[in-house]
Amino acid sequence: MHLPSPMRLFRIVATAEAVTWTLLVVGMVLKYVTKTTELGVRVGGMLHGVVFIAYVLTCVALWVDQRWSPRTALTALASAIPPWLTLWFERRVERDHLVGQQWRLGAGGQRPTSAPERVLAAALARPLLGLVVALVGIAAVTAVLLVVGPPVPKS
């Protein structure tokens, strides 16, 4: 399996996050403004939730691999909350060279020195297994959130 560069992976996931925000916003307009259907919120909301979790996971991996500062990492994570801000952040990290074209902890790269680096290095060494573990993790978090459900307003 060919592993995409950190920058390519981040660009794909940041763009997907923005696209699913668009689907969710369109769904909310259909539900709350035109009052025609809830389908857009159901489908767009689920897709956005799954991609949001993937974006968070990607940001954490890049935080570890690219040695982002806590400020950069928190900005990356916070950029997923307002619609479409991940696109701005993706351009910022490219402009400021905060995400490289190579995995620091990948094959032939630096040796991991911490537990998070060892976990990421293992995933990068076996990308197919790493992808499966990431997908199972995303599915597990999604399932837990579906069971917990939305917050209930206090009455």
Side-chain angles (χ1 to χ4, degrees), residues 10-151:
F10 188 66
R11 180 174 293 125
I12 289 167
V13 177
T15 301
E17 208 277 340
V19 167
T20 61
W21 250 123
T22 302
L23 294 173
L24 181 55
V25 168
V26 168
M28 289 190 298
V29 168
L30 292 173
K31 179 178 179 177
Y32 297 110
V33 177
T34 68
K35 299 184 187 324
T36 54
T37 182
E38 290 187 18
L39 186 61
V41 172
R42 288 185 187 176
V43 173
M46 174 60 81
L47 286 173
H48 178 66
V50 169
V51 173
F52 176 86
I53 296 165
Y55 178 81
V56 168
L57 184 62
T58 301
C59 288
V60 170
L62 291 173
W63 183 354
V64 171
D65 187 77
Q66 303 292 300
R67 290 189 171 151
W68 280 352
S69 69
R71 180 179 179 166
T72 298
L74 293 174
T75 303
L77 295 169
S79 74
I81 297 170
W84 310 293
L85 201 58
T86 57
L87 296 175
W88 164 82
F89 188 75
E90 180 268 325
R91 284 176 183 82
R92 179 181 162 226
V93 297
E94 184 174 30
R95 180 195 72 209
D96 295 346
H97 306 287
L98 298 173
V99 177
Q101 295 301 323
Q102 300 291 327
W103 291 97
R104 180 178 65 83
L105 298 169
Q110 295 178 11
R111 290 183 54 114
T113 59
S114 66
E117 286 186 355
R118 283 190 286 280
V119 169
L120 182 58
L124 294 172
R126 296 168 196 81
L128 187 56
L129 179 60
L131 176 63
V132 169
V133 169
L135 291 174
V136 168
I138 291 167
V141 171
T142 301
V144 168
L145 292 174
L146 286 172
V147 169
V148 170

